[in-house]
Amino acid sequence: MRLQLTSTDDFTTLRRLFDDPSFHGWGGPGRLSDELIRAKYLGARLPDVECSLVLVDEQAVGLVQLHVDGTDFGGIDLILSPSARGQGTGRRVVDAMVSRARERNIARLTVDPDVQNERGVRFWRAVGFEPQSTITDDSGRAPYVLMSRSTALEPASGPRSSARR
């Protein structure tokens, strides 16, 4: 798996991804227009929003965003094609995004899966995000779970000693 920052050259790849029914509703209602894809996902919002293609064996299988919310806070949005789910790709993407956030001096990250996306909520918990609140009054959006985690390096666990030998 590798991440590749998007550029205007990636429109056709993004169009193909967003034409997949599993992407419908992500980034806007229904199938996204060409104009919205160009405006939101091809680098026009740098440096505040970094968009990257998720590549597995050089095939685009998803999209991830890192956005800055203030001086030391940020957020991640991630979507993977169904064929890339359940294989550890998402976990590797999150690890890479946490490292990238750390490089940008972002101390804390948030995600906001829809409440009805139980699989998504479980995934984000599994990669270290903890629920903070459930938001039910965000106009134009289904209820979602606001989750966060620190980007601090976890202390390395050394060899465990045991009284029993």
Side-chain angles (χ1 to χ4, degrees):
M1 186 286 305
R2 77 178 179 90
L3 301 179
Q4 173 185 298
L5 281 173
T6 60
S7 72
T8 55
D9 295 339
D10 295 313
F11 174 76
T12 302
T13 301
L14 285 171
R15 175 76 274 161
R16 182 181 51 77
L17 286 172
F18 279 103
D19 282 344
D20 182 320
S22 67
F23 276 61
H24 291 183
W26 195 83
R31 180 183 180 269
L32 291 189
S33 69
D34 291 354
E35 294 76 26
L36 194 56
I37 290 171
R38 283 186 176 100
K40 290 180 76 171
Y41 304 113
L42 293 177
R45 300 185 296 163
L46 287 170
D48 294 336
V49 180
E50 293 180 3
C51 298
S52 296
L53 290 169
V54 178
L55 303 173
V56 173
D57 297 328
E58 296 308 306
Q59 295 296 312
V61 298
L63 180 69
V64 65
Q65 294 181 302
L66 174 65
H67 48 90
V68 178
D69 295 329
T71 57
D72 59 350
F73 292 92
I76 299 174
D77 292 308
L78 170 64
I79 186 165
L80 295 174
S81 298
S83 64
R85 297 175 189 164
Q87 300 175 27
T89 303
R91 182 175 294 276
R92 289 190 303 274
V93 170
V94 171
D95 289 346
M97 297 311 290
V98 169
S99 292
R100 177 66 183 134
R102 203 177 298 118
E103 289 169 7
R104 292 192 62 186
N105 296 315
I106 297 171
R108 190 149 210 81
L109 289 169
T110 61
V111 294
D112 57 356
D114 288 349
V115 168
Q116 292 182 346
N117 182 0
E118 293 174 11
R119 184 176 178 181
V121 172
R122 281 193 312 272
F123 167 77
W124 289 112
R125 283 189 76 115
V127 294
F129 286 80
E130 291 297 324
Q132 304 300 307
S133 61
T134 299
I135 310 299
T136 59
D137 60 353
D138 191 345
S139 175
R141 169 121 193 239
Y144 60 91
V145 181
L146 183 63
M147 305 175 79
S148 72
R149 72 165 276 181
S150 169
T151 62
L153 289 172
E154 295 180 19
S157 55
R160 296 176 187 242
S161 62
S162 173
R164 290 186 273 159
R165 295 200 183 223

